[in-house]
Amino acid sequence: MALAMDILRSSHLSAVRFFDSGGTRTRSCNTRRFNVRANLPFPQQNAKYHKELEAAIDVVHTACRLCVQVKSSLFSTDGKVLEKNDQTPVTVADFGVQALISLELSKLFPSIPLVAEEDSAFLRSRNLVGTVLDAVSAEASSTWKTLAQDDVLKAIDRGGKDAFVFGSKPATYWVLDPIDGTRGFLKDNKALYVVGLALVVEGEIAIGVMGCPNWQEDLSKKPSAEMEEGKEALPESGIMMIAHKGYGTWTKKLNSNPKSAGVWTRCVVDRFDMVHKARFCIPDSQSWESLPLSSIFNATSNANDVGSSQIVLVAACCGSLCKYLMVASGRASVFIQRAKETTTIKAWDHAVGMICVHEAGGKVTDWEGIEIDLAEDQPSRRIIFPSGGVLVTNGNLHDQIVQIISQTSRV
C-alpha cells in the first residue's frame, strides 16, 4: 500500500499494463491495477478540487440510493412511470435526482451554476410535485430539516435552460445528467443507467463522478487467488467511477459509505491497437450499418468467433454514459456515435464521461479528430456540436478510426 501511494505521489503514471504472448482477444488487454484504501485514492492536499470531488461523490451516492428506492416501487405504485413531450420515458427519479443534487450543491457551492437536463414545467402540469418531494425528502441531508414543494421546484429549475446565461467567456459550472439511460432504469436490474456529474472550471472539465447501480463486476479477469483474498469485499452490484484532472480515473463499490475508507481501483483503458480486434459499443438508437466503419467491417456479438472482416459489438443498454464507463474501465475499446440532423447532442450526456475516459488514458473527439468544445453553445452550455459525431477510444485506435471515417466519407 505504501509503495502504491508513493508511486501516485511522485507521478501520474497509469497502472502498469501486462500483456500475454498469445495475443488472444480475451486476455491481451489484462491490466494490473493499484488498489488504494482511502476516502480519495490520491493525496487530498495535491488535488486542487478535492473538496468539490468529495461533495460530488457524496451527492451522486445519495442520488443513486434515491434511484434504487424509486425503482423498487416503480411497477407497484401508480404515477411513477411518465412520458415527457418528446416521448422519452422519464420517472420521478429523474426529477428527484436533479432536485436533490441541486439542493446539496447550492448549499455547498452557492456561486457555481448548474446545467442539467430537466425543468419543473412537466411536474407542474401533471401535479406530481408532491411525489418528487417525498422521494427527495427521504434522502436529503439532515441540514434540510423541512422541504416544501416550492423548494423542490426551485432546485430543479436552478439547472433548467433559462436559469443562467453564460456568454462567451470561459465559465465554471456543474453539468448533471440525473439519469442517463432512463430506458435502462425502466428495464430489469441487468440494464444499466448512470447518474453523472461533472465540474467544468474555466472551460475545462476538472472532476467527474458517475454512479451506476446495476453495474456488475467482471470477475472473469480476476485471478482466483485475488478473488479468495477479497471474497468478502467483492461487490454485489453497482459502481462509483471518479476522475480528477491529472490524478486518473478510479472506481469502487457503490454500496460502500462514500465518507468512509474504501477500496479504490485505478482504471486504465484496454490496449488493443488493431481495429478488427477491438470491442465496439454504439448508441441503442443507431445501427452498425449507419456508421462509416460498416463499409469495411461487419459486426458480431460473438467474441469467440470473429472473422477477419468483423469487429465485436458489445451490448450496453442504455444511454451514452454507460458506454464511456465501459471504455474507461477497459471493457470496450471504442464508443462511436453519429450526430443526427433531427436530434441535438446534449452536454450532460458526455461531459463526465469525457474526463473519465481521458484520465484513464483514452481519447474523445469529434469524427474529424478535433476536441469537443463544451462552450460552443455560448449562452447556455447545454448542446455540443461535434462534426460527424462523437468518437471515444482507448487512444491507440483513435487516429486509425478517424482516418477510416475520413476515407469512407470521401467515397
Side-chain angles (χ1 to χ4, degrees):
M1 181 63 65
L3 175 61
M5 291 306 294
D6 288 342
I7 293 173
L8 289 174
R9 290 188 182 100
S10 62
S11 72
H12 301 324
L13 292 176
S14 298
V16 181
R17 304 175 181 91
F18 292 89
F19 303 89
D20 69 8
S21 58
T24 60
R25 179 179 299 272
T26 56
R27 296 184 59 197
S28 63
C29 62
N30 285 350
T31 60
R32 179 177 178 179
R33 303 171 185 269
F34 293 137
N35 292 331
V36 179
R37 183 176 292 276
N39 290 347
L40 288 179
F42 39 75
Q44 293 183 0
Q45 65 271 21
N46 294 344
K48 186 174 182 180
Y49 305 105
H50 72 87
K51 291 182 179 179
E52 290 85 351
L53 181 56
E54 287 174 323
I57 292 171
D58 195 12
V59 295
V60 170
H61 180 274
T62 305
C64 287
R65 192 168 60 218
L66 182 152
C67 291
V68 171
Q69 291 300 318
V70 171
K71 187 176 175 68
S72 67
S73 59
L74 185 64
F75 300 105
S76 59
T77 303
D78 292 339
K80 290 292 178 70
V81 180
L82 313 170
E83 287 279 332
K84 286 192 291 190
N85 291 334
D86 63 1
Q87 303 303 307
T88 302
V90 66
T91 67
V92 170
D94 286 273
F95 294 99
V97 166
Q98 184 159 320
L100 177 67
I101 290 180
S102 176
L103 284 166
E104 300 294 349
L105 293 181
S106 65
K107 176 182 62 180
L108 297 171
F109 310 102
S111 64
I112 303 180
L114 174 68
V115 173
E117 184 172 10
E118 310 295 348
D119 61 55
S120 69
F122 183 80
L123 287 183
R124 296 173 190 269
S125 66
R126 298 296 182 94
N127 196 27
L128 290 163
V129 186
T131 310
V132 175
L133 173 62
D134 291 342
V136 174
S137 298
E139 301 296 342
S141 64
S142 58
T143 54
W144 298 99
K145 294 182 180 179
T146 57
L147 284 173
Q149 290 189 8
D150 194 49
D151 297 322
V152 169
L153 293 171
K154 287 181 178 179
I156 292 171
D157 287 336
R158 180 173 171 265
K161 56 183 171 54
D162 299 322
F164 195 88
V165 177
F166 288 94
S168 60
K169 294 182 179 180
T172 297
Y173 54 97
W174 297 99
V175 184
L176 169 67
D177 195 334
I179 296 182
D180 183 67
T182 308
R183 285 185 172 84
F185 181 84
L186 297 176
K187 291 180 180 288
D188 59 33
N189 288 332
K190 293 182 179 180
L192 302 180
Y193 64 94
V194 174
V195 177
L197 179 65
L199 177 64
V200 178
V201 177
E202 296 300 312
E204 294 188 0
I205 308 172
I207 63 169
V209 178
M210 289 193 278
C212 184
N214 291 341
W215 181 266
Q216 298 290 329
E217 185 174 4
D218 185 2
L219 301 181
S220 65
K221 294 179 182 176
K222 277 186 172 287
S224 57
E226 184 180 337
M227 290 180 65
E228 284 301 317
E229 280 183 22
K231 191 173 182 180
E232 294 181 0
L234 290 178
E236 297 173 1
S237 69
I239 192 175
M240 173 83 69
M241 176 175 280
I242 70 169
H244 186 296
K245 185 180 178 182
Y247 288 89
T249 299
W250 302 78
T251 60
K252 79 169 182 175
K253 187 177 175 182
L254 180 61
N255 59 10
S256 61
N257 188 327
K259 293 184 178 179
S260 66
V263 176
W264 289 100
T265 300
R266 185 142 193 191
C267 292
V268 289
V269 294
D270 74 28
R271 304 312 299 167
F272 288 121
D273 56 8
M274 290 184 285
V275 176
H276 70 278
K277 289 189 175 182
R279 299 160 298 177
F280 285 72
C281 49
I282 64 175
D284 313 287
S285 61
Q286 297 179 12
S287 66
W288 178 253
E289 289 69 28
S290 70
L291 300 172
L293 277 72
S294 63
S295 63
I296 301 175
F297 302 101
N298 295 321
T300 178
S301 59
N302 185 359
N304 297 318
D305 185 19
V306 184
S308 59
S309 61
Q310 288 183 313
I311 58 92
V312 174
L313 198 58
V314 181
C317 181
C318 297
S320 298
L321 290 183
C322 72
K323 277 84 166 179
Y324 279 97
L325 204 156
M326 292 184 70
V327 174
S329 63
R331 286 202 192 179
S333 316
V334 179
F335 166 42
I336 182 169
Q337 176 183 5
R338 175 184 287 279
K340 294 182 177 180
E341 294 181 0
T342 56
T343 57
T344 56
I345 299 180
K346 304 301 192 327
W348 49 77
D349 288 331
H350 297 270
V352 64
M354 289 164 62
I355 188 172
C356 287
V357 166
H358 176 78
E359 289 295 324
K363 192 170 183 178
V364 183
T365 70
D366 65 16
W367 283 14
E368 295 181 357
I370 300 171
E371 289 188 7
I372 292 172
D373 184 4
L374 291 179
E376 196 168 359
D377 174 16
Q378 291 185 358
S380 62
R381 303 292 201 271
R382 303 176 70 81
I383 303 172
I384 58 176
F385 303 94
S387 178
V390 177
L391 177 61
V392 182
T393 75
N394 62 9
N396 283 346
L397 296 164
H398 209 88
D399 291 345
Q400 296 179 52
I401 296 177
V402 168
Q403 186 175 9
I404 292 173
I405 292 172
S406 175
Q407 290 173 346
T408 55
S409 297
R410 286 199 298 269
V411 172

